[in-house]
Amino acid sequence: MPADSHPDAPRPGPAPYQDAVRSAAAPQAAAASYADVPAAAAATSFPDASQPAAAPYPDAPRPPGASYAYPSQPGPPPFGEAAQPVPPPYAGGAQPVPPPYAGGAQAAQPSREAGGQHVSGAYANPGQSPQAAPHSSQGPWQNYDPWAGSGSLQQNGAAVDDVARRRRRRGRTLVVGALLIAVVAGGVGGVVGAYLERNGGVGAIELPQTSDGVTGRAPDSVAGIAASALPSVVTLHVSGDSAQGTGTGFVLDERGHILTNNHVVDPAGADGDISVTFSGGETAKATMVGRDTGYDLAVVKVSGVSGLKPLPLGNSEEVQVGDPVVAIGAPFDLANTVTSGIISAKERPITAGGQSGNVSDVSYVDALQTDAPINPGNSGGPLLDGKARVIGINSAIRSAGSGSESDGGQAGSIGLGFAIPINQGKRVAEELINTGKATHPVIGVTLDMDYSGDGARIGERGDGDGSGVTSGGPADRAGMRSGDVITEVDGQRVHSGDELIVKVRAHRPGDRLELTLLRDGRERTVTLTLGSSGGD
């Protein structure tokens, strides 16, 4: 009766060795090395085999533990020093060599009877053979596939990396590491760079600076003009019983006379206080010499001050539109402020003052117009030409949303500033210094200020219910009558009564004027000599 070593193991098919006979008397047959098999038995042919079995070569060198490179040359599992090579399996009927089973499990080996002898499986336990043959120190057998690739096997059955593969893996590791380092370094560099950019670097900052070493300026430059004129310009602080103000003035002579606007000193009244501050910071008390509301000019005087430098006076008749100018003053009490611009227009008729409703407070100026910034506090300051000569006295501005007005208010500059021509200022200043009052040229008529037509019309009634033409005055002697409309003065068109007054006051008493007028729709021309009236 055939014996089955493992009843629950899968049973292989009938053994293909029907004609093979083995001796059952030798108990070592299953474990015996193939070197003990007789040559005749090893060379026995098998009728159903496609190829004859090849006898092993006992004197062949032991194969290494690695499998052979080609599938036709399978190698044995790694036995110890005493192990003998295992003959390869034979296709077509040769007895197969049972494969080892990992983990020491015992595989069922088919039983076979040959001549009444029982032959059991070759090795039930790969770790221990029926005869304790010496084995290798490499440990128990692992799964072994003779047809596997050419890589060497580790004890766990995995292929051992060859040198090239290890080098490739090491190279990949180095590349990944380099990339990680680059990413980290880039991030750190970006953070540091952003910090330095926001905070301007580390440590103290020293900014570059250049200098040409030139401190002087050309005399006709704005800086040169300012340097020359500033020592002669003063700031006035005026206070009275109910008002106070700030303005500008400039030195006329070494005796201490200073010219400014009437509306600057007007808050002082008869016994107010006037303080003068020079560009160097020195201060002195000033007294009133004379003033005139019609010309909006005044002269004050400081005493006990030495080293005064008068400003030279130019000729306003020679000024041309477009000439460069420099204005100096104390806008909003900011002393020694210098601005520049050009002459925008000449003979611009303006009226200033009269805000209180007192017509006697109105000034009539045939002004120089400039775009040099003039603001409250500039009043009375000099308007200088390119040679630092005074050509005008800054007096009024036109501000947005208002008419022409004295800059004693708080309106700011919009580039429309007006200055009293210095030729008129010189004459008035001389009269104020010499007599304490100024004279006004007159034609001897009373104007109808309500007339809305073009020109200036002589009124029907004058002072004291008299005629509009003063008896025995310049106009009366020239044959002028009430109701005549004056349209031109010395060939310049006149559009209103204010313009006529401005044109007349631009002259001196005794000057001759040619007037063009309309009477009963007919135009005629008359010539007269200007008379004089006392100033107030």
Side-chain angles (χ1 to χ4, degrees):
M1 179 178 179
D4 195 347
S5 58
H6 297 283
D8 55 349
R11 297 177 180 271
Y17 312 106
Q18 302 296 329
D19 54 349
V21 178
R22 291 190 181 218
S23 175
Q28 298 90 357
S33 149
Y34 290 107
D36 299 334
V37 179
T44 303
S45 62
F46 301 95
D48 56 346
S50 60
Q51 293 181 1
Y57 299 94
D59 57 350
R62 297 185 181 94
S67 62
Y68 293 97
Y70 300 100
S72 62
Q73 297 177 352
F79 295 99
E81 292 294 332
Q84 299 297 325
V86 179
Y90 297 95
Q95 181 179 359
V97 178
Y101 296 90
Q106 296 181 352
Q109 180 67 26
S111 299
R112 182 166 59 239
E113 291 184 2
Q117 301 295 327
H118 173 266
V119 181
S120 61
Y123 298 101
N125 188 347
Q128 182 177 2
S129 61
Q131 286 186 350
H135 56 81
S136 169
S137 60
Q138 295 178 354
W141 290 0
Q142 306 297 324
N143 290 335
Y144 171 68
D145 184 1
W147 310 102
S150 60
S152 301
L153 296 179
Q154 299 176 350
Q155 289 185 359
N156 60 2
V160 179
D161 290 342
D162 53 18
V163 176
R165 188 176 300 171
R166 287 197 299 271
R167 289 178 177 174
R168 288 194 298 271
R169 183 175 298 171
R170 185 180 299 112
R172 288 194 296 270
T173 302
L174 292 176
V175 170
V176 172
L179 289 176
L180 289 175
I181 292 173
V183 170
V184 173
V188 173
V191 171
V192 174
Y195 173 82
L196 294 178
E197 181 179 0
R198 288 195 300 268
N199 296 277
V202 294
I205 297 176
E206 294 186 4
L207 300 178
Q209 187 177 27
T210 60
S211 174
D212 54 11
V214 178
T215 57
R217 296 293 183 267
D220 58 349
S221 67
V222 174
I225 295 170
S228 174
L230 276 171
S232 303
V233 180
V234 300
T235 301
L236 285 80
H237 295 90
V238 181
S239 61
D241 294 336
S242 59
Q244 59 185 10
T246 301
T248 309
F250 59 92
V251 177
L252 290 174
D253 55 32
E254 294 180 352
R255 292 184 292 178
H257 291 106
I258 295 172
L259 182 62
T260 186
N261 282 132
N262 176 69
H263 71 262
V264 171
V265 298
D266 185 63
D271 53 0
D273 183 67
I274 303 174
S275 175
V276 175
T277 303
F278 293 87
S279 62
E282 305 87 351
T283 61
K285 295 294 183 178
T287 58
M288 182 72 67
V289 174
R291 62 191 186 123
D292 187 272
T293 58
Y295 291 114
D296 193 22
L297 291 173
V299 175
V300 298
K301 182 179 181 180
V302 295
S303 301
V305 179
S306 61
L308 295 178
K309 178 184 177 182
L311 270 180
L313 305 182
N315 186 349
S316 55
E317 294 293 335
E318 297 177 354
V319 173
Q320 299 297 320
V321 174
D323 284 351
V325 290
V326 173
I328 302 178
F332 299 101
D333 205 15
L334 299 174
N336 305 323
T337 297
V338 177
T339 59
S340 64
I342 63 169
I343 294 295
S344 303
K346 294 177 59 177
E347 299 177 349
R348 184 74 74 190
I350 65 167
T351 59
Q355 288 87 356
S356 61
N358 184 3
V359 295
S360 64
D361 193 33
V362 177
S363 59
Y364 300 89
V365 180
D366 198 22
L368 297 173
Q369 180 181 327
T370 179
D371 65 349
I374 298 174
N375 291 283
N378 276 101
S379 290
L383 185 67
L384 307 169
D385 64 9
K387 295 183 179 180
R389 299 175 302 192
V390 181
I391 58 173
I393 302 102
N394 299 319
S395 299
I397 62 173
R398 182 177 292 275
S399 58
S402 70
S404 175
E405 62 182 22
S406 163
D407 63 356
Q410 294 300 308
S413 171
I414 59 172
L416 296 174
F418 304 96
I420 299 171
I422 192 59
N423 289 10
Q424 182 176 344
K426 176 180 178 295
R427 179 184 68 83
V428 173
E430 291 172 345
E431 291 183 349
L432 293 175
I433 293 172
N434 294 328
T435 66
K437 62 181 182 178
T439 59
H440 300 165
V442 295
I443 61 174
V445 297
T446 301
L447 298 177
D448 181 5
M449 303 305 290
D450 295 329
Y451 178 68
S452 59
D454 190 34
R457 187 174 68 177
I458 302 175
E460 296 295 334
R461 298 285 182 180
D463 295 338
D465 291 334
S467 173
V469 177
T470 303
S471 177
D476 185 33
R477 291 193 296 268
M480 299 174 67
R481 302 176 185 176
S482 296
D484 289 347
V485 177
I486 302 170
T487 59
E488 294 182 5
V489 176
D490 287 341
Q492 293 182 339
R493 191 73 183 177
V494 173
H495 300 284
S496 66
D498 288 338
E499 288 191 21
L500 177 61
I501 297 173
V502 168
K503 296 298 182 183
V504 171
R505 289 194 178 182
H507 295 79
R508 294 172 179 265
D511 290 348
R512 292 181 63 85
L513 295 182
E514 182 180 86
L515 304 179
T516 301
L517 52 88
L518 288 175
R519 181 185 299 168
D520 299 330
R522 299 177 60 183
E523 186 176 276
R524 64 179 57 193
T525 301
V526 297
T527 301
L528 55 79
T529 301
L530 291 175
S532 175
S533 68
D536 50 1

